Amino acid sequence: MAAERGTAAETLVGQVVLPGDLLLLPAHYDEDAEGERLRLSAGAAPQGRLLCGPGLRRSGAGLLVTKCGLLRHRPAGGGAFWVDSQQKRYVPVKGDHVIGIVTAKVGDVFRLDVGGSEPASLSYLAFEGATKRNRPNVQVGDLIYGQFLVANKDMEPEMVCIDSSGKSSGMGIIGQDGFLFKVSLGLIRKLLAPKCEIIQELSQLYPFELVLGMNGRIWVKAKTVQQTLIIVNILEACEYMTAEQRKQALAKLSGN
Amino acid sequence: FMQRGLDSQTKKQLEEEEKKIISEEHWYLDVPDLKEKESCIIEERSFLPCEDLVYGRMSFKGFNPEIEKLMIQMNSKCKGEDIEEDDKMEADVSDEEMARRYETLVGTIGKKFLRKRDQRVLKDDDEDEDDEVEEGNSNTIPSKRAKKMFLKPQD
């Protein structure tokens, strides 16, 4: 992910910030009664609201940093600031797509382990085309790809496998075979970036299927067990490899 | 108490009385109201809107064709280009043809709801039209016969 330079007040974009740092925002983000003065000022005042992403908190006139990491900025669409931090432990966040493992079936609700502090709950009606008579075929130990409906620190997280229009759009039970393994959250975000080189290079190797959960879990399935394991090893190792090392490794494999 | 058909006036009086009772007991701050600043900052705990991440389910080289279709669908939702193309593709009938069809359709359905007298008038008009066409008359607007009105009997 490329570090983008921010505005003059934000000289810390792309640099390490620590919890407790206060970031001052440019004046046009404060709306007071002097709104007219701001509109008259020349220069590109971003339309819309500023997005204060994970690792940052609003405080008074500026943003307070709550996690250590690199400060990132996106100027498009009203602007966004967030802290790019590394962690292995997942905290459920509303709207995230994750892979969960069914651990128990309690009445009409499944308990899923998503790697957070609490198991998430998933109702059997939250699948596409599920009715009281037409129940989904979910067993203990199945893998489910879903998104969080409710996820805050006060309540038990709830998951669903349909989106707001009632369609499953790829969510639901993940099929048979395949291999599930865990990586750090930063790698997942790297892999899910719009044009990820790792994924593009891997896709040239063999046909395979990949499901990435924001909780650090990846599920891979390829035609043979050996191919699956190769992909798993590459994905695990590519976090700490440079681009050249990765290309060398892939070249060796495609040569085989 | 539940009273049916209570006058609106008496209702208002009752409400006002209740409000008075409440406001006397209400504690309020003697401080001027703080202006609520409409803040321009939205707090978001998820990485999804920040970094424009793609959809998590992927398939390559035709391993799972449904997921490959899904990938194209989900990733173009962000851009919205493909969706516009689909709308244009779905129009099998062109707009002009639709307009022509509607023109004639309105006429035929309209005839159905005419009263009997008007229907007879219309039929005569059609015959007149045919005669006119045979004569080679290029007058496209058929002359309508005057409707049969009530004739006042002459003294």
Side-chain angles (χ1 to χ4, degrees):
Chain A
M1 281 175 280
E4 294 161 79
R5 291 287 144 203
T7 51
E10 308 299 349
T11 51
L12 294 171
V13 174
Q15 296 184 21
V16 176
V17 289
L18 295 174
D21 290 350
L22 186 66
L23 302 173
L24 293 169
L25 296 172
H28 49 252
Y29 286 122
D30 287 332
E31 262 203 23
D32 283 341
E34 298 113 16
E36 297 168 18
R37 183 187 60 161
L38 299 170
R39 270 175 237 143
L40 289 171
S41 66
Q47 296 296 316
R49 303 179 157 208
L50 173 70
L51 197 67
C52 162
L56 292 173
R57 201 176 252 214
R58 186 178 57 194
S59 92
L63 298 176
L64 195 63
V65 179
T66 53
K67 280 198 186 151
C68 45
L70 296 172
L71 186 67
R72 302 280 185 208
H73 175 56
R74 186 195 69 191
F81 286 96
W82 71 94
V83 176
D84 191 6
S85 62
Q86 181 68 290
Q87 61 184 61
K88 284 183 158 193
R89 187 83 177 155
Y90 178 68
V91 173
V93 169
K94 180 175 171 180
D96 263 2
H97 295 263
V98 292
I99 301 180
I101 308 174
V102 181
T103 52
K105 184 175 170 182
V106 182
D108 287 336
V109 159
F110 305 110
R111 292 246 170 275
L112 300 174
D113 167 40
V114 289
S117 52
E118 282 182 333
S121 70
L122 171 67
S123 161
Y124 76 96
L125 289 171
F127 291 86
E128 187 180 12
T131 58
K132 283 190 183 170
R133 301 211 174 166
N134 181 19
R135 290 168 183 241
N137 187 14
V138 176
Q139 308 299 325
V140 172
D142 276 354
L143 293 176
I144 301 220
Y145 186 64
Q147 64 179 347
F148 280 110
L149 188 67
V150 167
N152 50 34
K153 61 181 166 76
D154 305 313
M155 289 166 57
E156 177 193 49
E158 254 184 65
M159 275 180 62
V160 287
C161 285
I162 51 173
D163 62 11
S164 51
S165 61
K167 292 188 201 161
S168 70
S169 61
M171 294 188 271
I173 308 173
I174 298 177
Q176 296 291 314
D177 307 328
F179 190 91
L180 179 79
F181 61 104
K182 195 167 181 336
V183 291
S184 70
L185 307 188
L187 180 63
I188 299 277
R189 277 185 280 125
K190 216 195 314 184
L191 292 171
L192 283 175
K195 281 174 194 171
C196 178
E197 294 174 353
I198 308 172
I199 300 273
Q200 284 174 353
E201 285 170 19
L202 273 179
S203 64
Q204 309 296 324
L205 274 185
Y206 341 95
F208 68 97
E209 194 186 336
L210 184 67
V211 179
L212 297 162
M214 293 290 287
N215 53 348
R217 292 189 184 161
I218 306 182
W219 180 84
V220 180
K221 181 174 170 185
K223 281 194 183 149
T224 65
V225 173
Q226 202 184 21
Q227 289 180 354
T228 312
L229 289 174
I230 290 172
I231 297 174
V232 165
N233 283 326
I234 295 180
L235 284 171
E236 275 181 334
C238 70
E239 189 171 4
Y240 300 112
M241 283 202 289
T242 62
E244 288 173 12
Q245 288 172 335
R246 195 177 64 229
K247 282 176 191 165
Q248 281 176 5
L250 288 171
K252 260 194 255 174
L253 284 168
S254 53
N256 280 357
Chain B
F1 49 82
M2 306 277 272
Q3 286 193 13
R4 279 191 224 174
L6 206 57
D7 282 340
S8 57
Q9 284 180 357
T10 42
K11 266 190 202 169
K12 278 183 200 170
Q13 281 176 5
L14 284 170
E15 281 177 19
E16 281 171 31
E17 282 170 29
E18 283 180 20
K19 275 186 199 169
K20 278 183 202 166
I21 296 169
I22 294 171
S23 62
E24 279 168 8
E25 296 177 343
H26 241 153
W27 294 71
Y28 58 92
L29 291 171
D30 239 344
V31 174
D33 286 332
L34 292 168
K35 249 191 281 176
E36 261 196 47
K37 278 190 198 171
E38 198 194 286
S39 65
C40 281
I41 305 176
I42 321 171
E43 274 192 40
E44 179 73 53
R45 281 177 57 216
S46 157
F47 278 103
L48 210 57
C50 294
E51 296 181 6
D52 280 338
L53 302 175
V54 301
Y55 192 61
R57 252 196 131 148
M58 307 180 208
S59 156
F60 300 105
K61 291 206 171 179
F63 197 77
N64 195 335
E66 291 170 2
I67 297 204
E68 300 212 347
K69 267 189 245 168
L70 199 73
M71 275 171 75
I72 302 173
Q73 204 184 7
M74 299 296 272
N75 294 336
S76 68
K77 257 186 204 175
C78 311
K79 294 163 196 170
E81 293 168 359
D82 287 347
I83 295 170
E84 288 172 17
E85 282 179 26
D86 278 348
D87 283 347
K88 283 180 200 163
M89 293 273 284
E90 278 174 32
D92 290 329
V93 184
S94 75
D95 295 338
E96 289 168 354
E97 230 190 286
M98 275 292 284
R100 252 183 278 144
R101 289 283 167 86
Y102 260 126
E103 259 182 330
T104 50
L105 192 72
V106 164
T108 42
I109 302 279
K111 271 194 219 168
K112 191 174 157 187
F113 294 104
L114 286 178
R115 294 175 305 179
K116 253 194 175 171
R117 280 190 187 164
D118 296 336
Q119 280 180 357
R120 223 182 64 186
V121 168
L122 209 62
K123 206 174 155 193
D124 291 343
D125 277 351
D126 285 345
E127 288 175 4
D128 281 347
E129 230 184 42
D130 289 341
D131 290 342
E132 284 176 355
V133 164
E134 283 173 2
E135 289 172 0
N137 200 350
S138 60
N139 187 15
T140 49
I141 303 167
S143 54
K144 285 191 182 163
R145 272 194 201 164
K147 272 190 184 174
K148 290 185 179 170
M149 301 280 290
F150 175 68
L151 290 172
K152 197 173 175 185
Q154 290 167 357
D155 288 339

